[in-house]
């Protein structure tokens, strides 16, 4: 009986993620205040700083991008699509986790940099992925690592899409990239008082 209880507990912990993802799936409270986010999730700052040291992407740019992509929800997914309005037929895309990395891009990151065991719902892996992606964007497109607006446009539409200017025909994306730029600037100012 004791063995069965231990197995049941192990299965329950595994199903819940066991806490290894750097979050419990839920977002911190008050996402408009960088200091409060980091007070609630101290592991986030360690992850952001590690990515900043390794790739050069400022903490406030990472935070603004993660806010937009997942609202700091570790296991965020795109909405389901429905046939006939009721029959679920899959998700809008394979985007998952803090960084909303697509399956193919995550696989490329794992092969080039992260390794097989990296997880999109782990804050350290997600920030390293973002740093890797944005550093390559800087190298190939010349977009400054501090330019939250254009880094996001290239992150969202891909580097090829950015090069082609696909974002120009998406007014909603242009608006969102402006909001990210503003949020990054706000986070940057807030971080000065809480570090």
């Amino acid at each position: 009986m004791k063995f069965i209880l231990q197995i049941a507990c192990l299965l329950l912990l595994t199903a819940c993620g066991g806490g290894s993802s750097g979050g419990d799936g839920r977002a911190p409270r008050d996402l408009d205040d960088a200091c409060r986010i980091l007070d609630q999730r101290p592991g986030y700052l360690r992850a952001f700083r590690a990515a900043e040291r390794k790739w050069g992407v400022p903490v406030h740019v990472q935070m603004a991008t993660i806010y937009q992509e997942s609202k700091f929800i570790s296991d965020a997914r795109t909405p389901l699509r429905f046939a006939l309005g009721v029959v679920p037929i899959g998700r809008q895309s394979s985007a998952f986790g803090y960084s909303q990395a697509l399956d193919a891009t995550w696989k490329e990151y794992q092969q080039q940099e992260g390794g097989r065991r990296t997880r999109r719902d782990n804050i350290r892996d997600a920030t390293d992925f973002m740093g890797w992606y944005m550093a390559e964007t800087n190298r190939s497109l010349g977009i400054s690592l501090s330019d939250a607006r254009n880094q996001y446009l290239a992150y969202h539409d891909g580097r090829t899409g950015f090069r082609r200017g696909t974002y120009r025909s998406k007014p909603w994306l242009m608006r969102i990239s402006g909001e990210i730029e503003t949020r990054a600037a706000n986070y940057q100012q807030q971080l000065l008082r809480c570090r």
Side-chain angles (χ1 to χ4, degrees), residues 130-148:
M130 285 177 48
W132 166 80
Y133 192 90
M134 290 179 174
E136 179 56 30
T137 297
N138 170 256
R139 191 189 69 68
S140 63
L141 298 175
I143 299 172
S144 167
L145 295 172
S146 320
D147 184 348

Side-chain angles (χ1 to χ4, degrees), residues 54-55 102-119 128-129 132:
K54 184 174 179 181
W55 302 107
L102 298 171
D103 288 353
T105 313
W106 188 262
K107 195 168 286 192
E108 181 184 343
Y109 162 72
Q110 287 180 310
Q111 291 168 351
Q112 291 183 16
E113 187 65 36
R116 272 183 325 126
R117 293 188 172 191
T118 55
R119 294 176 37 177
D128 190 63
F129 165 81
W132 166 80

Side-chain angles (χ1 to χ4, degrees), residues 5-21:
L5 186 60
Q6 289 172 333
I7 294 294
C9 286
L10 182 62
L11 289 173
L12 180 63
L13 281 174
T14 303
C16 294
S20 66
S21 66

Side-chain angles (χ1 to χ4, degrees), residues 4-188:
I4 293 172
L5 186 60
Q6 289 172 333
I7 294 294
C9 286
L10 182 62
L11 289 173
L12 180 63
L13 281 174
T14 303
C16 294
S20 66
S21 66
D24 58 6
R26 295 176 308 179
R29 291 178 307 282
D30 196 2
L31 296 179
D32 293 327
D33 188 325
C35 298
R36 294 186 84 186
I37 292 169
L38 299 177
D39 283 345
Q40 291 172 56
R41 305 286 200 283
Y44 284 10
L45 184 57
R46 288 188 294 275
F48 292 135
R49 284 185 174 159
E52 183 178 46
R53 280 190 304 274
K54 184 174 179 181
W55 302 107
V57 179
V59 170
H60 61 278
V61 173
Q62 295 175 58
M63 289 184 75
T65 304
I66 285 181
Y67 171 87
Q68 180 57 42
E69 291 298 283
S70 66
K71 304 293 187 280
F72 293 91
I73 297 170
S74 64
D75 58 356
R77 295 179 187 275
T78 58
L80 285 169
R81 292 179 301 156
F82 293 90
L84 306 173
V86 292
V87 180
I89 58 170
R91 302 233 173 237
Q92 291 177 358
S93 79
S94 64
F96 175 74
Y98 287 109
S99 62
Q100 288 295 283
L102 298 171
D103 288 353
T105 313
W106 188 262
K107 195 168 286 192
E108 181 184 343
Y109 162 72
Q110 287 180 310
Q111 291 168 351
Q112 291 183 16
E113 187 65 36
R116 272 183 325 126
R117 293 188 172 191
T118 55
R119 294 176 37 177
R120 290 178 277 184
D121 62 352
N122 179 298
I123 190 65
R124 195 167 186 101
D125 294 339
T127 56
D128 190 63
F129 165 81
M130 285 177 48
W132 166 80
Y133 192 90
M134 290 179 174
E136 179 56 30
T137 297
N138 170 256
R139 191 189 69 68
S140 63
L141 298 175
I143 299 172
S144 167
L145 295 172
S146 320
D147 184 348
R149 181 182 184 280
N150 286 305
Q151 278 285 352
Y152 183 75
L153 289 171
Y155 190 82
H156 185 278
D157 274 14
R159 293 184 204 103
T160 303
F162 183 88
R163 206 176 274 119
R164 285 192 211 134
T166 55
Y167 56 89
R168 290 188 190 104
S169 63
K170 301 173 184 173
W172 59 270
L173 182 56
M174 297 296 287
R175 178 185 49 79
I176 287 171
S177 66
E179 291 171 4
I180 290 169
E181 183 175 44
T182 300
R183 180 170 296 278
N186 291 342
Y187 280 165
Q188 184 178 28

